[in-house]
Amino acid sequence: MHTEYFIVDKDNPDKEILGQAAELLKQGKLVAFPTETVYGLGANGLDEEAVATIFQAKGRPSDNPLILHIAHKEELSQLAAHIPNNAKVLMDAYWPGPLTIVVRRKAVVPDIVTGGLETVGVRLPDSIVARKLIELAGTPIAAPSANTSGRPSPTSAQAVLVDLEGKIDAVVDSGNCQIGVESTVVDCTTPVPTLLRPGGITLEMLIETLGEVEIDPILSGSFELAPRSPGMKYTHYAPEAPMVLFEGESSQVVNLLLQEINTALAEGKRVGALVSTETASRLPAAVIPSIYGRRENVDEIATNLYMALRSYDDHSVDVIYAEGISEEGLGLAVMNRLRKASGYRIVKG
Ligand code: TXA
Ligand code: MG
């Protein structure tokens, strides 16, 4: 299959070009598109056959439900059987933006979207390109991250093409994604809303807005429990080489990481190190570094994270050692992705 390539300005996208991409979506085809978090792989969310091709292109397990993306807040009522008050509060505070709200679904939402669940995740993205595309397509758009299942999510059109060129009908390019990690997923069907996946809207922000938030046990590391966000059970976001994550107080983390690196080098291993700018300057010359940004700038780290993980596609290493960061704010989402990328191979400092 030939993958068409469209390029548009991120603030003022050409309507004609987006119209061509929207036309493909209307025909039941697959179009990858930018959002403020990561690139999504879109299909008409109410067309079962179109949605089925998303799972094929990504190699995604069929029990992992998809998010529906809408262009206007009012469209939620077409998909949700009931909109709890907490969901309204969250929508008013954070839509458009990096927040997915899980509500009870209406029958119009196909089983294949929800993996058979009676709930559906819905998101109104902030990206102008994403919203215009959805509006022109005239239907909710089902879109997981536009990567091969298990790989780091794409934050550029180039990263989408690395995984999916020849498997999808088109990609819309509007440059790099700003946030860099996926949306926060909040289940609003529980009496107290439950955080299922940390993301662009931080736990601190949710608590400030709602007063009280439950945290899915899977996020505190009890990953043997059945997750309520089914996607959380799969190894994910992973580079090709095995990765070990170092967690804890920063100076201790760096010392342990450097020790482990020296041991591995002495054993003749090719070693990668996914680290902060500060730590990069302390690495032995033989290490292949991938720098995610400055320790005090978690926004920068989130933006660069997946690109940094993907940089090991081009360097064959035997092992990657990753420096953990503080879980404050967006740090919780970054650490959640790093833990999953490491397959929970974690060293605590
Ligand atoms: O930022 C994002 O959310 C991106 C962009 C493209 O919008 N999309 C994305 O989709 O990350 P995906 O499919 O890679 O992740 C969706 C997550 C999965 O962990 C899935 O299990 C969970 O949301 N999810 C979807 N529907 C759900 C539901 N009804 N109940 C619980 N979890 C749900
Ligand atoms: Mg994903």
Side-chain angles (χ1 to χ4, degrees):
M1 177 193 298
H2 170 69
T3 301
E4 272 190 82
Y5 177 80
F6 301 109
I7 186 160
V8 294
D9 184 82
K10 94 183 208 317
D11 301 312
N12 192 14
D14 186 303
K15 227 180 147 185
E16 203 101 326
I17 297 175
L18 273 190
Q20 292 175 43
E23 192 50 43
L24 292 173
L25 287 168
K26 284 185 184 169
Q27 293 167 10
K29 297 195 168 162
L30 288 182
V31 178
F33 63 96
T35 80
E36 72 277 19
T37 57
V38 300
Y39 274 70
L41 177 56
N44 179 347
L46 304 183
D47 174 345
E48 269 175 66
E49 276 174 46
V51 173
T53 60
I54 292 181
F55 288 90
Q56 279 162 18
K58 283 187 56 108
R60 180 174 172 117
S62 61
D63 65 345
N64 190 1
L66 303 176
I67 298 173
L68 290 180
H69 296 67
I70 57 177
H72 306 279
K73 281 185 193 172
E74 307 77 69
E75 287 154 19
L76 178 62
S77 58
Q78 296 160 26
L79 306 170
H82 169 64
I83 305 177
N85 198 47
N86 281 321
K88 289 184 194 142
V89 170
L90 285 176
M91 283 164 65
D92 285 338
Y94 301 117
W95 276 6
L99 176 70
T100 297
I101 296 176
V102 173
V103 290
R104 293 215 331 268
R105 68 161 166 169
K106 273 191 174 156
V108 65
V109 178
D111 280 343
I112 190 162
V113 168
T114 69
L117 296 176
E118 279 315 311
T119 55
V120 61
V122 183
R123 166 158 126 80
L124 173 58
D126 188 39
S127 155
I128 293 168
V129 175
R131 271 188 281 150
K132 287 267 174 247
L133 179 67
I134 300 163
E135 192 176 277
L136 289 168
T139 175
I141 299 296
S145 49
N147 50 284
T148 298
S149 199
R151 295 251 302 144
S153 299
T155 51
S156 69
Q158 288 66 41
V160 173
L161 290 171
V162 167
D163 283 15
L164 299 176
E165 179 149 37
K167 296 182 176 171
I168 62 176
D169 297 285
V171 60
V172 178
D173 184 351
S174 72
N176 293 348
C177 300
Q178 189 202 325
I179 296 177
V181 291
E182 299 84 349
S183 64
T184 304
V185 181
V186 178
D187 184 353
C188 288
T189 66
T190 46
V192 175
T194 308
L195 175 64
L196 301 182
R197 178 177 74 180
I201 301 298
T202 65
L203 177 60
E204 292 87 339
M205 290 161 82
L206 293 174
I207 291 172
E208 164 107 42
T209 306
L210 295 169
E212 208 185 350
V213 178
E214 290 206 10
I215 299 176
D216 192 287
I218 192 138
L219 296 179
S220 33
S222 359
F223 46 91
E224 66 282 354
L225 295 172
R228 276 159 54 197
S229 180
M232 301 303 275
K233 74 174 176 244
Y234 300 105
T235 307
H236 215 143
Y237 319 113
E240 271 156 34
M243 188 171 106
V244 181
L245 174 63
F246 290 76
E247 286 190 14
E249 188 272 314
S250 180
S251 63
Q252 221 169 352
V253 160
V254 176
N255 286 338
L256 275 174
L257 181 98
L258 292 172
Q259 255 175 41
E260 206 60 42
I261 285 174
N262 284 321
T263 307
L265 287 174
E267 288 167 357
K269 288 187 180 150
R270 288 161 306 172
V271 176
L274 183 71
V275 294
S276 64
T277 314
E278 292 87 344
T279 302
S281 60
R282 299 179 55 190
L283 294 173
V287 172
I288 297 173
S290 182
I291 301 170
Y292 53 51
R294 288 162 296 162
R295 223 177 271 143
E296 76 275 14
N297 190 341
V298 70
D299 289 352
E300 177 180 279
I301 295 176
T303 305
N304 295 334
L305 185 69
Y306 290 138
M307 206 88 88
L309 280 167
R310 279 177 175 262
S311 75
Y312 289 108
D313 291 356
D314 308 322
H315 300 279
S316 86
V317 291
D318 299 311
V319 63
I320 299 165
Y321 294 112
E323 174 186 357
I325 62 165
S326 148
E327 287 188 311
E328 254 173 75
L330 206 48
L332 184 64
V334 168
M335 287 303 287
N336 168 261
R337 305 313 190 267
L338 283 174
R339 286 180 188 131
K340 290 183 63 70
S342 74
Y344 296 93
R345 281 178 290 259
I346 295 168
V347 176
K348 293 212 165 138

